[in-house]
Amino acid sequence: MSCDKDDTNVDSVTKELLATASTDKTVANGAEVKFIDLSLGVKNRVWTFPGGDPATSDIPEVDVVFAEEGEVLATLEVEYVDGTKESTEFPITVFPVLVADFTASETRIKVGETVTFTDATIGDATAWNWEFEGGTPATSTEQNPTVTFNVNKPVTISLTVTRALDGSVASVEKAELIQVGP
C-alpha cells in the first residue's frame, strides 16, 4: 500500500453551503462585520466585499470594514471537492458615521434670556437628548429646543443623538458654551 494514494471518493463527500455574517447593517468606517464560512466539502472559496477592506478573501473567517455608506452585496462562492460550485449573498446596509453637533443662536446672553439650539448632527439622527446646565428646561428631547438661562455663569451644553435604524449613538459636550451674565 502506498501512502500517496488518495482513497477519497469525491462523490461521497458531504457538500453543504453554511455561511453567515455577524450583522446585516454596519456603520461606514465603523465596526467590523465578521463573515464565517462553515461549508462542508469545500476545495476553494472566494469572498467578495464591494467597498470593503479587504475587498476579497479566501479564508473561512474574515473581518471586514466598509468605508462608504449605501447598500452592499457581499458574496461567497465555494467550489466543492467534486468541482461543483455554489454561491450565496449577504446584503449589508452601511450607514453614514453618526456625528453629534449643534449650534446656538447666541453665546453671550443676560440672565433670563433664551437661546435656541439647532441640531447640526451628521448621519440622520432620530432621537435627541439634551442637557442644559442652569437651563430651563434642564433637559430636552426636542431636535431644536429653546432654553432660558437664569444663572450668572458660563454654562455647558451636552447633546446625545441616536439613530434607530442601526442603534448608533454619538455625543458632544460644549463646555462653557453660553456666557450668561448680568
Side-chain angles (χ1 to χ4, degrees):
M1 290 203 111
S2 168
C3 291
D4 295 332
K5 185 176 177 189
D6 184 2
D7 288 331
T8 305
N9 180 351
V10 295
D11 293 331
S12 68
V13 173
T14 301
K15 303 182 305 184
E16 187 173 1
L17 183 61
L18 297 168
T20 187
S22 61
T23 185
D24 63 354
K25 54 190 164 225
T26 189
V27 176
N29 290 321
E32 295 176 329
V33 178
K34 183 177 291 293
F35 293 87
I36 301 173
D37 177 22
L38 299 172
S39 300
L40 304 174
V42 174
K43 179 179 177 183
N44 295 303
R45 77 180 46 80
V46 177
W47 291 100
T48 305
F49 309 108
D53 183 17
T56 63
S57 180
D58 61 358
I59 60 176
E61 186 174 315
V62 60
D63 293 324
V64 181
V65 175
F66 295 95
E68 299 294 324
E69 63 186 87
E71 300 297 322
V72 174
L73 192 58
T75 60
L76 169 65
E77 181 179 81
V78 295
E79 179 185 1
Y80 297 110
V81 294
D82 68 358
T84 61
K85 293 182 179 181
E86 192 173 2
S87 65
T88 189
E89 299 175 334
F90 300 88
I92 305 287
T93 301
V94 183
F95 292 95
V97 175
L98 187 63
V99 180
D101 196 13
F102 63 90
T103 59
S105 62
E106 304 288 335
T107 56
R108 299 182 67 81
I109 63 169
K110 293 180 182 174
V111 172
E113 291 184 336
T114 62
V115 176
T116 299
F117 295 91
T118 302
D119 173 45
T121 297
I122 298 169
D124 303 321
T126 55
W128 299 264
N129 289 298
W130 297 86
E131 292 182 22
F132 309 104
E133 177 187 14
T136 303
T139 64
S140 177
T141 56
E142 293 179 22
Q143 183 175 3
N144 300 307
T146 298
V147 180
T148 302
F149 292 93
N150 290 310
V151 294
N152 185 8
K153 66 175 193 163
V155 295
T156 298
I157 312 301
S158 300
L159 171 62
T160 299
V161 293
T162 306
R163 182 173 50 218
L165 292 172
D166 68 336
S168 288
V169 176
S171 296
V172 62
E173 179 179 280
K174 296 186 180 183
E176 299 184 359
L177 175 67
I178 309 297
Q179 304 297 314
V180 184

